[in-house]
């Protein structure tokens, strides 16, 4: 496939077999995420949003189809290789409790790099750069409980995109924030994608999903619809507005 | 002010969201003059355009307009709510498909508005940002209503059959208030 595919799901499915009951958490989902793209996933609870994100991040394995991260089929990797790709290629942002309370912002962000064998000094430099890119470079030495919820989410985004990491998987990252702070976090995510990262965002807030290039809809484990890639704003300025 | 200027002011404040035909502006000015709400100042600008001013009655009317909230009955009926209500009661129509088609379209619109907002954000054009926010909240409310409707339908699907419902879920569309009443608040 083309080089700029950061994440690809090919007819991915996930079946949970629970005794005689078979639950299709996800069925035949194909989705491609390119460099610079932010894709939002919407759907009612139980529609498979989290399963999709877990498969994309290698936290769970598909029972059908394949998941490729930066061109590598995760099914071809052994445990250690899978752990390495998770450390180097992608990061997660959850609704809350993203950061380790005993570590400062910079230490939290540097952690995956240090685990990957980068020396402490270099890892800190990368962490500071990542924090600056999300607008919280001045909070590097604060602990999580000394930061607001929105600031913590920015740090989590910085950690998801530190060093060579280019893919952020975000599961309701604005869920614990007020409306305006949530929007600011989405703006940061949008800006990071405009600067070359890629993001897969699960949200139930239409207003937040609307920051994405594309919104896909899940229902009963299947992708049922897609907004496609939106036209650039210039096309709209001459349009007749709301109607 | 004269007609072109009025149009320009209106469009500047609302980001050209609702473009005005200048003919419409002059027709409206003529009616306002007939009703004594505006008057010609007797001056004309260098191009010979007629300049109008607000009369005292016009000023009172304007102040009243700003001071009066817009009532639900003053808005056009909600075609989407009517469509969904009719989809529910018309045989052979897949209501969930109707809801999803609208959801995708509204999300697309919301994406467009969000992009416009991202472009406008740094600017000082607060009036335009307020108009954009208004449209964004409206679109968001529509998506929430669609989600809510789908949940309601899913629940109904697993509980009682539609025929047994007392008081139809779909109000009579001939009733002027039907659209509004169909929207849960």
């Amino acid at each position: 496939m083309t080089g700029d595919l950061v994440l690809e799901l090919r007819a991915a499915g996930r079946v949970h077999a629970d005794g005689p009951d078979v639950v299709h958490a996800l069925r035949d989902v194909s989705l491609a995420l390119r460099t610079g793209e932010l894709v939002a996933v919407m759907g009612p609870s139980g529609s498979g949003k989290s399963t999709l994100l877990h498969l994309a991040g290698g936290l769970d394995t598909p029972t059908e189809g394949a998941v490729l991260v930066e061109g590598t089929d995760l099914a071809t990797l052994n445990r250690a290789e899978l752990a390495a790709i998770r450390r180097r290629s992608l990061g997660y942002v959850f609704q809350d409790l993203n950061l380790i309370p005993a570590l400062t912002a910079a230490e939290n962000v540097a952690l995956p790099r240090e685990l990957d064998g980068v020396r402490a000094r270099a890892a800190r430099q990368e962490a500071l750069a990542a924090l600056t890119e999300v607008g919280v470079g001045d909070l590097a030495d604060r602990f999580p409980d000394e930061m607001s919820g929105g600031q913590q989410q920015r740090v989590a985004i910085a950690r998801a995109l530190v060093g060579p990491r280019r893919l952020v998987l975000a599961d309701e990252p604005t869920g614990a924030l007020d409306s305006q702070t949530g929007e600011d976090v989405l703006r940061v995510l949008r800006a990071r994608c405009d600067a070359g990262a890629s993001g897969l965002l699960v949200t139930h807030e239409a207003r937040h999903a609307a920051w994405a290039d594309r919104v896909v809809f899940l229902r009963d484990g299947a992708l049922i619809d897609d907004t496609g890639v939106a036209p650039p704003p210039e096309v709209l300025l001459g349009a007749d507005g709301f109607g | 002010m004269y007609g072109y200027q009025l149009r320009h002011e209106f469009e500047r404040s609302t980001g050209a969201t609702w473009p005005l035909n200048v003919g419409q502006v002059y027709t409206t000015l003529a009616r306002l003059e007939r009703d004594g709400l505006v008057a010609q100042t007797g001056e004309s600008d260098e191009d010979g355009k007629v300049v109008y001013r607000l009369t005292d009655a016009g000023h009172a009317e304007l102040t009243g307009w700003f001071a009066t909230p817009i009532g639900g009955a003053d808005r056009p009926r909600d075609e989407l709510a009517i469509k969904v209500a009719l989809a529910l009661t018309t045989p052979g129509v897949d209501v969930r498909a109707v809801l999803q088609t609208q959801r995708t379209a509204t999300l697309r619109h919301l994406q467009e508005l969000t992009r416009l907002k991202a472009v406008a954000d740094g600017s000082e054009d607060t009036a335009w940002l307020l108009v954009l926010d208004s449209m964004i909240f409206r679109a968001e409310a529509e998506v929430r209503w669609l989600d809510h409707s789908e949940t309601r339908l899913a629940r109904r699907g697993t509980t009682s059959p539609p025929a047994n419902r007392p008081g139809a879920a779909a109000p009579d569309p001939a009733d002027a208030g039907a659209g509004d009443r169909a929207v849960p608040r």
Side-chain angles (χ1 to χ4, degrees):
Chain A
M1 296 307 278
T2 53
D4 74 341
L5 278 184
V6 178
L7 172 70
E8 197 186 357
L9 275 74
R10 289 186 190 161
R14 181 68 172 94
V15 177
H16 298 286
D18 182 17
D21 295 331
V22 174
V23 180
H24 289 264
L26 215 59
R27 50 181 102 208
D28 196 23
V29 168
S30 292
L31 184 68
L33 190 61
R34 292 170 192 286
T35 301
E37 211 178 14
L38 178 61
V39 172
V41 184
M42 295 193 79
S45 36
S47 60
K49 302 188 298 276
S50 293
T51 304
L52 174 61
L53 218 53
H54 288 159
L55 291 185
L59 296 178
D60 191 5
T61 47
T63 46
E64 292 132 49
V67 177
L68 291 84
V69 172
E70 294 180 330
T72 304
D73 183 346
L74 298 185
T76 65
L77 304 178
N78 64 33
R79 239 181 136 79
E81 290 167 333
L82 186 61
I85 212 166
R86 280 210 303 261
R87 277 197 311 272
R88 283 176 211 150
S89 298
L90 57 92
Y92 267 97
V93 180
F94 299 101
Q95 182 169 319
D96 51 17
L97 306 174
N98 280 293
L99 306 177
I100 299 172
L103 301 181
T104 65
E107 288 164 352
N108 265 285
V109 176
L111 188 60
R113 301 300 293 138
E114 292 192 46
L115 290 175
D116 212 25
V118 175
R119 299 174 71 103
R121 203 182 165 84
R124 182 172 167 90
Q125 287 310 312
E126 288 183 0
L128 292 177
L131 286 169
T132 304
E133 280 164 353
V134 297
V136 288
D138 53 331
L139 305 181
D141 295 319
R142 290 218 194 151
F143 289 93
D145 65 2
E146 298 167 341
M147 289 183 278
S148 71
Q151 289 167 339
Q152 290 185 35
Q153 291 305 70
R154 285 173 188 241
V155 174
I157 293 172
R159 188 187 52 193
L161 293 172
V162 68
R165 291 174 157 195
R166 289 290 170 269
L167 172 59
V168 50
L169 303 170
D171 197 351
E172 300 280 4
T174 59
L177 305 175
D178 66 63
S179 167
Q180 189 57 50
T181 311
E183 185 163 316
D184 291 342
V185 167
L186 254 301
R187 256 173 234 272
V188 168
L189 205 51
R190 174 74 262 172
R192 297 306 298 130
C193 290
D194 288 340
S198 304
L200 190 60
L201 162 74
V202 164
T203 180
H204 68 275
E205 295 257 12
R207 198 152 39 86
H208 293 158
W211 284 91
D213 297 293
R214 205 145 56 88
V215 183
V216 299
F217 299 91
L218 269 181
R219 187 199 284 155
D220 303 330
L223 280 186
I224 53 157
D225 213 346
D226 185 337
T227 59
V229 176
E234 303 83 80
V235 179
L236 299 157
L237 287 167
D240 187 0
F242 200 79
Chain B
M1 274 203 202
Y2 56 94
Y4 271 101
Q5 234 176 337
L6 279 170
R7 182 177 73 158
H8 176 75
E9 282 298 312
F10 178 81
E11 293 191 348
R12 196 182 59 80
S13 305
T14 55
T17 307
W18 300 279
L20 285 183
N21 174 339
V22 79
Q24 199 182 338
V25 175
Y26 280 110
T27 314
T28 305
L29 276 171
R31 285 194 197 136
L32 291 171
E33 190 179 14
R34 178 199 65 197
D35 296 343
L37 301 175
V38 300
Q40 297 188 20
T41 59
E43 308 158 28
S44 57
D45 74 344
E46 59 270 25
D47 298 328
K49 291 197 184 83
V50 180
V51 178
Y52 291 88
R53 65 169 176 80
L54 218 48
T55 62
D56 288 346
H59 199 269
E61 181 77 18
L62 181 66
T63 310
W65 182 68
F66 279 123
T68 311
I70 295 173
D74 299 339
R75 300 185 201 198
R77 52 173 87 170
D78 184 342
E79 185 183 349
L80 176 59
I82 293 171
K83 183 182 289 199
V84 171
L86 287 178
L88 194 61
T89 51
T90 307
V93 179
D94 181 352
V95 191
R96 296 227 294 182
V98 171
L99 293 173
Q100 183 56 41
T101 301
Q102 187 63 47
R103 183 173 10 237
T104 304
T106 307
L107 233 309
R108 212 173 269 145
H109 184 59
L110 198 51
Q111 283 177 294
E112 292 162 359
L113 295 170
T114 304
R115 279 155 180 255
L116 289 175
K117 188 164 90 160
V119 170
D121 250 348
S123 78
E124 299 290 298
D125 200 346
T126 310
W128 168 224
L129 280 168
L130 287 176
V131 170
L132 266 177
D133 281 340
S134 155
M135 294 192 289
I136 285 170
F137 279 108
R138 244 172 88 175
E140 187 192 22
E142 192 167 288
V143 174
R144 289 180 65 177
W145 177 69
L146 292 165
D147 290 347
H148 177 88
S149 302
E150 189 162 331
T151 309
R152 188 183 280 277
L153 284 174
R155 288 214 184 118
R156 194 203 59 171
T158 55
T159 54
S160 64
N164 295 345
R165 279 175 298 128
D172 180 2
D175 178 346
D180 284 327
R181 276 205 281 113
V183 181
R185 293 185 199 274

